[in-house]
Amino acid sequence: NNSDNFRTRQMYDIGAELSTKLIKIFNPKNTFADKIKHEFIPKIDYAFTPNVIQNDLPYFDSLDRIEEQNLITWSLTNYFISKNIKKTPKGEEKLSYRDIAYIKLYQSYDIKKKRDNESEPFSDITLESELNPNRFFSLDMDIAWSPYNSHFKTVNIGNTLKDNRGDSLRTEYRYTSSLSKTLYSKITIFITDELSTYYSIEKNLEDEQIVETQAGFSYKRSCWDFNLFFSDSDDEQSIT
């Protein structure tokens, strides 16, 4: 029962997944790790949302519309977790764990596109990965490759360096086919345990122009945080 002041919509969605988990334990017993657990998870997902007319509902942006969906997605996910055993001065064992690597490969098949006779029902093949060999360095990457033109659609490769205080330096190469090729850098410095300041810059590698710079402060407590930053880009300057 809709009125001019109150609108509702009712929709349903259907989902299913089929997966398993394979686990293997390695025993390197070196300074890097005493044990490493490898989890391999192959999975197939199905997601369906029907087409429902929503023209009578208010529209502000794309979030106000729930799109029809009929997707099958396959994925292969790998987790690597290290375990270290250390002796305390009292002779007791102290265990520590770290997620040292994450690798996921996935792709979707759009049944709706195939039903509508669209030419490219398969999505890009996407690879996501993170590598954390120790608490001072991390490397991450996400790559999307088109099965139709055999070219990379996106390539994002980044790394982060940290110290004991939590100060960090982040650099990232960002590539989007036919749109941009940029280098992003960000430095974060902790003034106190709760207060930090940062500065970031993104530069277009093709024309050597600055895409955006940001500078700001962040104050974080256990249950709330406050952020203030200034942003300067080609077409906008803002304080948030």
Side-chain angles (χ1 to χ4, degrees), residues 1-184:
N1 183 23
N2 293 333
S3 67
D4 290 338
N5 297 323
F6 183 73
R7 303 293 179 96
T8 63
R9 63 181 169 191
Q10 294 82 35
M11 300 184 70
Y12 69 90
D13 59 77
I14 298 173
E17 72 173 47
L18 177 65
S19 68
T20 187
K21 180 186 290 187
L22 304 175
I23 297 176
K24 182 174 178 59
I25 305 296
F26 300 93
N27 297 281
K29 293 183 179 180
N30 52 33
T31 56
F32 180 74
D34 291 292
K35 293 179 181 293
I36 296 177
K37 180 171 72 170
H38 175 207
E39 296 182 358
F40 174 65
I41 306 173
K43 183 166 67 172
I44 296 177
D45 280 302
Y46 175 69
F48 173 77
T49 304
N51 182 28
V52 175
I53 297 174
Q54 304 167 63
N55 295 336
D56 60 330
L57 298 173
Y59 180 84
F60 180 75
D61 57 29
S62 60
L63 296 177
D64 295 318
R65 294 291 182 266
I66 299 178
E67 298 294 333
E68 179 183 2
Q69 182 178 235
N70 200 356
L71 287 178
I72 296 176
T73 303
W74 64 264
S75 64
L76 303 172
T77 305
N78 295 268
Y79 296 97
F80 295 87
I81 304 167
S82 69
K83 175 182 177 181
N84 285 282
I85 305 172
K86 294 183 178 180
K87 294 284 187 178
T88 67
K90 295 182 179 180
E92 299 173 346
E93 288 189 349
K94 182 180 179 181
L95 305 180
S96 62
Y97 300 88
R98 187 173 69 251
D99 296 326
I100 56 175
Y102 160 81
I103 304 169
K104 182 177 182 179
L105 184 70
Y106 62 92
Q107 182 187 35
S108 295
Y109 177 75
D110 195 321
I111 299 174
K112 176 182 179 298
K113 287 185 177 181
K114 182 63 176 179
R115 184 189 64 202
D116 295 340
N117 294 318
E118 296 188 27
S119 61
E120 298 182 357
F122 286 97
S123 73
D124 297 335
I125 299 175
T126 301
L127 173 68
E128 297 177 353
S129 63
E130 296 179 11
L131 178 64
N132 303 284
N134 57 57
R135 62 193 181 94
F136 303 112
F137 174 76
S138 65
L139 178 69
D140 56 88
M141 175 176 61
D142 64 87
I143 297 174
W145 182 83
S146 171
Y148 296 103
N149 61 18
S150 300
H151 290 116
F152 290 107
K153 289 289 192 68
T154 61
V155 177
N156 299 304
I157 303 174
N159 69 85
T160 303
L161 298 172
K162 292 184 178 181
D163 62 16
N164 285 320
R165 287 173 13 105
D167 303 331
S168 64
L169 174 63
R170 166 81 178 171
T171 57
E172 183 177 351
Y173 170 78
R174 299 172 174 176
Y175 167 78
T176 303
S177 177
S178 303
L179 287 178
S180 65
K181 185 189 297 183
T182 65
L183 181 65
Y184 171 84

Side-chain angles (χ1 to χ4, degrees), residues 190-203:
F190 277 83
I191 301 172
T192 67
D193 291 340
E194 295 87 12
L195 179 64
S196 64
T197 182
Y198 74 89
Y199 174 80
S200 68
I201 182 171
E202 185 173 7
K203 185 177 182 180

